[in-house]
Amino acid sequence: MQVAPGVHHFTGYKFNWYIVEEGDRLTVIDAGFPSHFRLFERGLESLGRAISDVEAIIITHAHADHTGFAARLSAASGAPIHVHEGDVPLVRRPLYLPWTGLLSRAWRPYTASMLSHAIGNGLLRLTTIPAPRPMRDADELDAPGRPRILHVPGHTPGDVAVHLPARGVLFSGDAMVTRNLYTGRDGGPQLTSRTLNGDFEQARRSLDRLADLGPVVLLPGHGRPWVGDTRDAVAANLPAARR
Ligand SMILES: [Zn+2]
């Protein structure tokens, strides 16, 4: 589904990834689970593109539901995998996930279905990412779409959002999602639940980094696209005293 000019949204079950086109060159944002690679290939075909058109892969953070087929795609395309320097050590630990939160809510049908989908789609076969290319805050990558990197730590130490200023697009990863990952309920832009964050208060403070981007199509790691001003998205998630 095209969600902004040259920006396409794909979902493997409940897990999103995106393709950005610039001419016939592509940037891929996030990479589902390993078995989603086939879906990814089908998505590419639907755009009339080939694996060799992929020039860059950006991982918003080192959780397994975002790194899944990145290594395979990188090997097949030759594209580098960009990861924030704060998460570089974590992509060497493929089973790195907020297990305490996930397991404490595994009784919830939505969370249970995510976990079983994860296991059925390669969670336990996940490989490490070879030679991740470290990113820093405010980097502007020489990659299709000219992605600008915004460091928004909290969900993980090296969590990033990816801004395409010229297209008014913000890939928010899991710094802001539009679906509650415990209940499956869709809503407006929201932080993930407290127990899914390495540091929830830091995640909340990081929202300041996103507040002044203006009107965007916000494309989250989980849930549907949202259109609006980032100031409103952020304000809805601040403690009442700061709104
Ligand atoms: Zn996620």
Side-chain angles (χ1 to χ4, degrees):
M1 182 171 72
Q2 180 154 252
V3 284
V7 179
H8 304 270
H9 172 205
F10 298 91
T11 299
Y13 193 54
K14 303 168 192 315
F15 307 92
N16 296 338
W17 63 86
Y18 300 92
I19 296 178
V20 176
E21 295 177 297
E22 187 178 317
D24 52 9
R25 302 154 59 230
L26 309 176
T27 294
V28 175
I29 317 268
D30 282 340
F33 281 112
S35 296
H36 294 148
F37 188 67
R38 200 157 299 156
L39 273 179
F40 171 80
E41 286 183 303
R42 254 189 263 152
L44 265 187
E45 272 167 38
S46 74
L47 301 177
R49 304 291 178 195
I51 296 269
S52 55
D53 297 331
V54 176
E55 280 198 6
I57 303 160
I58 302 175
I59 299 300
T60 59
H61 61 290
H63 282 158
D65 54 325
H66 299 256
T67 62
F69 58 77
R72 186 169 174 190
L73 176 58
S74 175
S77 63
I81 304 173
H82 300 274
V83 178
H84 187 272
E85 58 185 359
D87 271 15
V88 164
L90 301 173
V91 292
R92 306 192 202 288
R93 290 169 50 194
L95 282 180
Y96 175 73
L97 274 175
W99 285 111
T100 313
L102 288 170
L103 294 177
S104 72
R105 298 298 193 285
W107 57 272
R108 283 190 177 271
Y110 188 84
T111 308
S113 73
M114 286 210 311
L115 284 169
S116 71
H117 182 85
I119 290 163
N121 284 276
L123 173 63
L124 305 176
R125 287 185 278 113
L126 203 74
T127 54
T128 56
I129 288 183
R133 205 169 278 187
M135 306 186 286
R136 292 189 184 85
D137 184 52
D139 277 358
E140 205 177 291
L141 302 187
D142 182 17
R146 299 296 298 173
R148 193 157 169 270
I149 303 305
L150 305 170
H151 185 210
V152 285
H155 186 65
T156 65
D159 200 12
V160 299
V162 180
H163 189 209
L164 308 183
R167 304 195 201 188
V169 168
L170 179 69
F171 302 96
S172 57
D174 288 4
M176 270 200 173
V177 296
T178 58
R179 179 172 299 156
N180 183 302
L181 298 183
Y182 288 151
T183 64
R185 220 170 287 136
D186 285 319
Q190 56 197 272
L191 292 161
T192 54
S193 305
R194 183 175 286 271
T195 46
L196 292 175
N197 286 275
D199 185 334
F200 182 74
E201 289 310 324
Q202 187 186 37
R204 189 180 253 170
R205 285 194 301 276
S206 285
L207 295 179
D208 285 339
R209 191 80 182 86
L210 307 178
D212 295 326
L213 302 178
V216 294
V217 180
L218 183 146
L219 300 170
H222 303 269
R224 301 193 181 120
W226 177 87
V227 178
D229 195 299
T230 57
R231 184 163 300 282
D232 299 326
V234 167
N237 289 282
L238 295 177
R242 283 194 53 205
R243 263 171 225 164

